[in-house]
Each structure stands twice: as C-alpha cells, then as structure tokens.
Amino acid sequence: MVRGGLEDTICAIATPVGEGGIGIVRLSGPRALAVASRLVRLRSGALLSSIATHTLHLADLLVPSLGQSPTLRVEGAPFSSGALLDEALVVYMKAPRSFTAEDVVEIQSHGGALVLGALCEACIVAGARLAEPGEFTKRAFINGRLDLSQAEAVLDTIRAKSAAGLKAAQRQLRGELGREVEHTRGALLMVLAHVEAGIDFVEEGIAFLQREELLRVVGEAAGIVQKLEATAQQGRILREGARVVIVGRPNVGKSSLMNRLLREDRSIVTAIPGTTRDVIEESIIVGGVKIRLVDTAGIREAIDVVEQEGIRRTRSAQADADLVLIVIDGSVPLTGEDREFMKQAMEGKHLAVLNKSDLPSRIQEDLGALGDRAYPVSAKTGSGIEVIRSAIRAELVSAGFEASEDVTVTNVRHAAALRRAADSLQQALESVRRGMAGEFISIDVRAAADALGEITGAITTDEILERIFSEFCIGK
Ligand SMILES: Nc1nc2c(ncn2[C@@H]2O[C@H](COP(=O)(O)OP(=O)(O)OP(=O)(O)O)[C@@H](O)[C@H]2O)c(=O)[nH]1
Ligand SMILES: [Mg+2]
C-alpha cells in the first residue's frame, strides 16, 4: 500500500460552501503548526507553538509573508503580506489525539466563501497543499485511527438520509462491524494455519485439526457472515425501498390489485386478457417502508411481438424483485399456467393473492405449499387489501430487525465482500464434509478471510482505497 504523501501537510475548507456564522479550515500533517504559525497571530501575544493542545485561542489571521510569490489575490483583489484577513478561533490538536492521528490545526473564521477561500490560499502560501477528496479520513485510516469500515461510516454519517441510516452508520463508526468481521477473520486464519500445517505434515499423518472441530469453526464463521449479509438486505430495504412485483396469468386482476394498493387508477384495467403489455412502476409507502410496486404483463403463450416483449420484461422484473405477489383468479379453476407460476415464484420471496373473492371460489384443489400463505382479496370491492398491505410489509422487514441493536451492514461494498466470503465458506464446508484434501479447504478459507479483510481494510489495494475515498468531498 502506498503510504506516500503523509509527509505533506494538507489543508482544506471543512465546512459546507456558502454563508455560515463560522467556517473551518483544517490543517493536518507534520507541519500543521508551522504552517498555521505563519498566518495566525494570537491576541494573547503568545506564540501558537506554545499553546496547550485542545485549547481554543482568539487570533488575527494575516496574509503570510509572500516572499517571491505574487500577491495573494482574493477574487482578483490583491492582498499583500501582513494584510488582515479575518479574526478567528484557533485550536491545535497534537498527534495522535486528532481525527487524522496527525498534528491538526483548525481555524474557525467567519463562514463566508471568500474568507475561507483566502484562508485556504494563505495556508497554501505558507506551505500546505490542498487536500484531495477524503484525504483527511484516508489519513485517519492509514494511521490506524479508523478501520476501513469506520472510514466509510464517516461518509455514511455525513450522507445519511433517514434516522435508520444514521443509526446504522453510527454503529459502524464505533467500529462494531469491523470488530465482528475481524474476530471472524481471526478464527479463519487460525483454521488456515492448522490446515496448512496439516498439508505440510501430511506424510507423518498428523491430524492438526479434527474434522469435527474444522466443521464447527468454519460453520460458525459461515453463520456470522450470513447473519451480517442478511442485515445488508434489510438495511437496503429500509434505506432505499423494496421492489414488489405483481405477476400472474392474464386477466386475474393484477392491474386492479396494483390500483387498489396505490389508491389510484394508475394501470389500465379491462376484461380483455393481455391488457397490460409493459412494466408499470409506481411508489407507495407501506408502514414507513418505501415500496416500488410493479405491475406486469400476464404471462401466456404470446400472441404477438409486443406481448412477447412484455412477457420478457415481466420475467426480468420478477428476477430482481424483493418480493413477488402471485395473483391467482379464485373464481375459476387453477390452470396449468397458474401452477407453473406458483412453482417459479415460490423459488424466491413471494406471497400468493387469491383475487376475485367477491365471486364464488372455484379453487377446490389444494394450493400446495402456497396454501397457508395465500390471501383472499377482492381488488374490485377492496376487501382483504389491508391484510395484503401488512403482509407485504412483514415479508420485507423482519419483525426483530428494526428493534435490534445489532450491527447492520449498509454499504454495498461490504455486502458484496460478505457475499463472497459466504460463498467461499460454503465451498469450504462442502470440501470438509466430502473429506477433500487440505489444499482444497485452505483455498476457500483463505478466499473467505481475504474477502472479510477487504471490509476492514486489513487486506486492501490502492485501487479500492482510491475508489472509496474519491467519493468523499474535499475537506472530509
Ligand atoms: N369480480 C371481480 N372482478 C375483478 C376483480 N379484479 C379484477 N377484476 C376484473 O378482471 C378483469 C381483468 O382485470 P385486470 O386488472 O385488467 O387484470 P390483469 O391481470 O391486469 O390482466 P392483464 O393485464 O391482461 O394481464 C377486469 O374486467 C376486472 O374488472 C375482482 O376482485 N373481482
Ligand atoms: Mg394488467
């Protein structure tokens, strides 16, 4: 990992652009105090270098001696050496007790864009360099103050759009995710050491780790990883909403159900099978959860090209649904198409809706596994719709989740790494069960440990760091 650049002292405006009562310019790096000393004159007359760490001091900010460099220009207007820029409060935070774990000086001046811009310029003249996006947080990570998941939580905290999102980011910022992941990775590395020792000594026939013990430790790790991964899905649904797709054969009342749930006539309803030919999407809030409801074309042997395309879209919508509502017309006997549907949809998360309950039921047969999860409704009269609403919500957000204080994974990168770790651990468990050689087991355990290491940054590449920190803005 490139640790270069740390010898530079960086500066940036740390507060948002625009007018504010105060604005902050932050300096971090080995020369933070020296740079600040060139523009800060304490009102007390003391030297900046003599103040106690973490104490606040009133000061005048002066344009530093410009030497050979051209005049400092603020919006075209020249400021010469020694000119007064503003008055400010200045705080020095001695390494390592600062956000970056380096020497930090924060200058709190008035919050105008011009003042802050000039102040930043003055810091650069005095020897600092403008920070790159996310560079302060990156330094905190490189200096070991934060693990990578915590660094990302800084960004999530800044960007949080909902109370649930903020809560999750704060837990991650406290390092809870990092600790759980590192603990699991540690267990896997222990397994790895044993298994690899076993490989080396296989001739002597020494079993370094009993098979049962191996299954137990790897199984436990797999359980933790899966649990974390599950929270990622829940977290995403709470933050971004869920996609609920309505499917069923033509004319069963999909569009009518959609309109009922939306409480508006969004989708066209007619008695002609094959009315809906495209995917129709609309958002609703159900019990505080945002839902993107999707009405689709009924699936049957398509009559024309338009319908074929509609059906293709139905299938793709169904494939990336968080929940599928299978609509069945209860007023006519089940058809082969209905059964086909039920079979497919049951592979993922689904609810069965027995529509047209205002008409006499003609479904005599057993609905199979759908039976106890089939909700009778009438899209025509509205009966049963509220039950469907709460069932949808209950399917999407498990009861214990919102109340729980457990670690929640909210970051897409973390979720992807957990997915990979979970897959590798399943693979490893399979190999152990089948009595495969240690080499095979260790490959997968290693892959899982590495995937977990990416979350905390224990294992990481410059490319990953680059991508993560470039999402930050300058000053963070
Ligand atoms: N009696 C009764 N009729 C209904 C009910 N729901 C829908 N219908 C009727 O069934 C017919 C088809 O309704 P749609 O909502 O267009 O059905 P769809 O599944 O969207 O049909 P396609 O878009 O063609 O796939 C219409 O004539 C509706 O009035 C219901 O609950 N009871
Ligand atoms: Mg329709």
Side-chain angles (χ1 to χ4, degrees):
M1 185 198 303
V2 179
R3 281 162 196 273
L6 285 186
E7 64 280 0
D8 289 354
T9 294
I10 55 173
C11 71
I13 302 170
T15 40
V17 206
E19 294 180 8
I22 61 162
I24 297 177
V25 167
R26 179 152 67 173
L27 278 159
S28 179
R31 300 192 63 247
L33 209 48
V35 169
S37 296
R38 292 193 55 199
L39 48 136
V40 170
R41 291 287 167 274
L42 296 181
R43 288 274 174 85
S44 66
L47 287 177
L48 186 63
S49 54
S50 71
I51 65 176
T53 179
H54 294 83
T55 55
L56 213 50
H57 299 265
L58 183 62
D60 287 320
L61 304 176
L62 309 171
V63 174
S65 153
L66 295 164
Q68 300 299 340
S69 45
T71 330
L72 180 69
R73 288 185 174 272
V74 180
E75 290 257 303
F79 276 69
S80 49
S81 303
L84 182 68
L85 282 173
D86 195 7
E87 60 174 17
L89 287 173
V90 179
V91 58
Y92 164 53
M93 286 167 271
K94 190 173 161 57
R97 284 178 54 215
S98 72
F99 178 67
T100 54
E102 300 174 334
D103 266 0
V104 167
V105 174
E106 283 181 8
I107 303 172
Q108 309 180 1
S109 68
H110 292 103
L114 262 177
V115 173
L116 290 168
L119 186 50
C120 218
E121 281 294 321
C123 288
I124 292 167
V125 169
R129 140 172 98 66
L130 188 64
E132 287 161 19
E135 199 171 359
F136 290 95
T137 316
K138 187 177 183 178
R139 286 186 171 200
F141 164 67
I142 292 174
N143 292 325
R145 251 270 285 138
L146 302 172
D147 73 29
L148 201 50
S149 70
Q150 287 174 296
E152 289 169 295
V154 171
L155 188 61
D156 288 348
T157 300
I158 293 168
R159 290 206 181 145
K161 294 278 184 297
S162 68
L166 181 58
K167 214 165 128 189
Q170 285 292 309
R171 287 206 287 254
Q172 192 174 315
L173 188 56
R174 286 198 298 270
E176 291 172 25
L177 173 67
R179 268 194 294 280
E180 195 148 350
V181 166
E182 269 310 296
H183 180 78
T184 309
R185 195 172 80 97
L188 292 177
L189 291 179
M190 190 272 290
V191 165
L192 209 55
H194 280 79
V195 171
E196 283 175 355
I199 294 169
D200 294 343
F201 292 92
V202 75
E203 323 257 271
E204 288 88 350
I206 304 167
F208 275 80
L209 200 58
Q210 295 294 325
R211 219 169 75 97
E212 294 310 309
E213 179 67 0
L214 200 59
L215 278 176
R216 189 186 65 74
V217 179
V218 177
E220 216 165 76
I224 294 174
V225 169
Q226 264 160 20
K227 190 195 80 196
L228 286 174
E229 202 204 336
T231 71
Q233 269 176 34
Q234 296 275 285
R236 180 183 60 78
I237 286 174
L238 278 182
R239 269 176 310 125
E240 292 165 18
R243 211 171 141 81
V244 176
V245 178
I246 307 175
V247 299
R249 81 188 155 71
N251 232 29
V252 292
K254 297 181 294 300
S255 301
S256 309
L257 178 68
M258 164 98 161
N259 293 345
R260 266 290 170 195
L261 289 169
L262 294 176
R263 299 194 175 103
E264 63 171 300
D265 284 340
R266 173 69 176 84
S267 209
I268 300 172
V269 171
T270 74
I272 305 160
T275 304
T276 308
R277 298 187 149 215
D278 204 346
V279 172
I280 295 175
E281 245 188 83
E282 203 64 64
S283 293
I284 43 166
I285 307 276
V286 176
V289 180
K290 188 173 163 203
I291 287 174
R292 276 179 302 146
L293 202 57
V294 185
D295 182 21
T296 63
I299 294 196
R300 61 172 172 181
E301 280 300 314
I303 297 167
D304 58 46
V305 215
V306 181
E307 197 175 2
Q308 269 169 16
E309 175 58 20
I311 290 172
R312 197 190 60 72
R313 291 183 185 194
T314 300
R315 296 212 189 280
S316 103
Q318 190 175 336
D320 51 43
D322 291 302
L323 178 68
V324 174
L325 301 184
I326 312 164
V327 184
I328 293 165
D329 181 347
S331 70
V332 294
L334 280 186
T335 69
E337 281 162 327
D338 284 324
R339 286 201 193 82
E340 187 51 37
F341 246 111
M342 287 158 54
K343 210 169 80 196
Q344 272 177 25
M346 278 166 63
E347 282 165 16
K349 239 183 176 192
H350 66 274
L351 283 178
V353 180
L354 289 182
N355 193 30
K356 311 200 184 179
S357 66
D358 52 297
L359 300 175
S361 170
R362 296 278 308 281
I363 298 189
Q364 279 97 14
E365 304 121 285
D366 181 17
L367 283 174
L370 275 186
D372 50 339
R373 288 154 63 86
Y375 295 84
V377 305
S378 167
K380 188 174 173 185
T381 65
S383 114
I385 292 291
E386 283 317 307
V387 182
I388 288 279
R389 262 184 226 280
S390 14
I392 291 174
R393 192 188 190 286
E395 280 295 322
L396 291 173
V397 184
S398 65
F401 180 74
E402 285 165 289
S404 100
E405 287 294 319
D406 288 349
V407 182
T408 318
V409 176
T410 51
N411 184 294
V412 183
R413 192 184 72 83
H414 300 168
L418 287 167
R419 174 80 277 180
R420 275 185 284 124
D423 288 349
S424 299
L425 289 174
Q426 283 315 320
Q427 210 63 58
L429 282 175
E430 190 54 36
S431 303
V432 179
R433 281 195 202 100
R434 288 178 26 208
M436 311 261 285
E439 283 93 335
F440 292 100
I441 300 166
S442 71
I443 287 174
D444 290 318
V445 173
R446 159 90 50 205
D450 285 357
L452 294 179
E454 284 175 25
I455 295 176
T456 54
I459 293 200
T460 189
T461 63
D462 282 341
E463 195 191 333
I464 294 181
L465 289 184
E466 212 46 57
R467 210 166 48 224
I468 293 171
F469 289 105
S470 64
E471 276 190 49
F472 284 63
C473 53
I474 293 176
K476 302 293 178 308

